[in-house]
Amino acid sequence: MTGMIEIISGTNRAGSNSRKVATAVESIYRDQGVSAQVLDIADLPMEIFHPDVYAKKPASLETWTNRILQSAGIAVVVPEYNGGFPGALKYFIDMLPFPQSFQNRPVCFIGIGAGEWGGLRPVEQLQQVFGYRNAFICPYRVFIKGVHHVFDETGQLKQDDLKDRLAEQARLFVDFIRRTEA
Ligand SMILES: Cc1cc2nc3c(=O)[nH]c(=O)nc-3n(C[C@H](O)[C@H](O)[C@H](O)COP(=O)(O)O)c2cc1C
């Protein structure tokens, strides 16, 4: 596999559960011997939110762009906000160069939500966006319902079945990436 897996934490909300899940997913990849790192859009430089950046991208965005362009694949952890994915995530996507950011790039999804549907809606909406951008969409998705109840007091995932589902997706995603590189 060429490059790392970037795990996007798909909201800029301070103290987000997406970040906790993304950190758990990062550990799962590393335990499997796979290079992976969290890309948390809460850390984006504030200047990228200026209206002028559509015309001229600030130098501070370059590190972020390069991480996407050099990635072997992208795992997106996306929370449900009002029946959809967060606007901050779409804004980040809109800041990236096209088509090269997502064209033929393997992408997988983990949806989280407070309710019963575990982020199904934002994941399916994102599949449409990444499909439009000709990404290679991995069919193995993970949905985490009742996300407020899945962490212990230190912010670690406490359910073995959930850890197993994430580990299975990680194995299948790496296999999927290798097949796309073959
Ligand atoms: C603005 C906002 C809108 C939300 N809308 C929904 C929703 O439509 N359905 C749902 O199941 N949970 C909804 N939630 C709950 C979130 O999915 C849940 O709090 C999750 O932890 C949010 O992800 P985050 O912690 O990474 O911000 C919403 C939360 C926020 C902050």
Side-chain angles (χ1 to χ4, degrees):
M1 204 173 71
T2 316
M4 297 185 88
I5 294 177
E6 293 288 347
I7 305 159
I8 295 181
S9 178
T11 176
N12 60 348
R13 194 178 75 78
S16 78
N17 289 319
S18 299
R19 173 64 197 238
K20 290 180 207 156
V21 171
T23 301
V25 170
E26 179 185 57
S27 300
I28 286 168
Y29 278 107
R30 291 184 179 178
D31 288 349
Q32 294 179 12
V34 176
S35 298
Q37 61 183 352
V38 175
L39 189 157
D40 187 346
I41 64 171
D43 297 331
L44 280 169
M46 288 310 289
E47 63 176 334
I48 78 150
F49 294 96
H50 192 281
D52 289 346
V53 301
Y54 289 95
K56 187 170 176 1
K57 301 286 179 293
S60 58
L61 187 62
E62 208 172 302
T63 315
W64 299 75
T65 301
N66 288 341
R67 282 178 60 178
I68 295 294
L69 294 178
Q70 290 160 13
S71 65
I74 300 170
V76 186
V77 179
V78 61
E80 179 157 335
Y81 281 7
N82 291 306
F85 62 84
L89 176 58
K90 185 59 164 52
Y91 189 77
F92 176 56
I93 290 169
D94 293 341
M95 285 300 106
L96 295 169
F98 64 91
Q100 63 271 41
S101 292
F102 302 126
Q103 180 100 9
N104 295 350
R105 195 171 305 282
V107 183
C108 73
F109 300 98
I110 296 150
I112 74 171
E116 275 301 302
W117 299 99
L120 173 68
R121 281 171 288 242
V123 165
E124 297 210 325
Q125 292 164 8
L126 276 183
Q127 287 185 268
Q128 188 174 5
V129 171
F130 281 90
Y132 175 75
R133 280 278 148 237
N134 296 330
F136 289 148
I137 294 177
C138 179
Y140 308 109
R141 308 172 300 178
V142 173
F143 301 105
I144 304 177
K145 64 180 182 179
V147 70
H148 296 282
H149 307 293
V150 302
F151 306 103
D152 66 19
E153 55 288 345
T154 66
Q156 312 287 311
L157 293 177
K158 61 183 181 188
Q159 301 167 350
D160 285 339
D161 67 315
L162 175 53
K163 287 188 248 182
D164 289 347
R165 285 194 288 137
L166 290 167
E168 176 73 349
Q169 183 199 45
R171 274 189 293 274
L172 291 167
F173 188 44
V174 170
D175 183 54
F176 181 85
I177 292 171
R178 294 206 168 109
R179 286 165 192 260
T180 66
E181 289 177 344

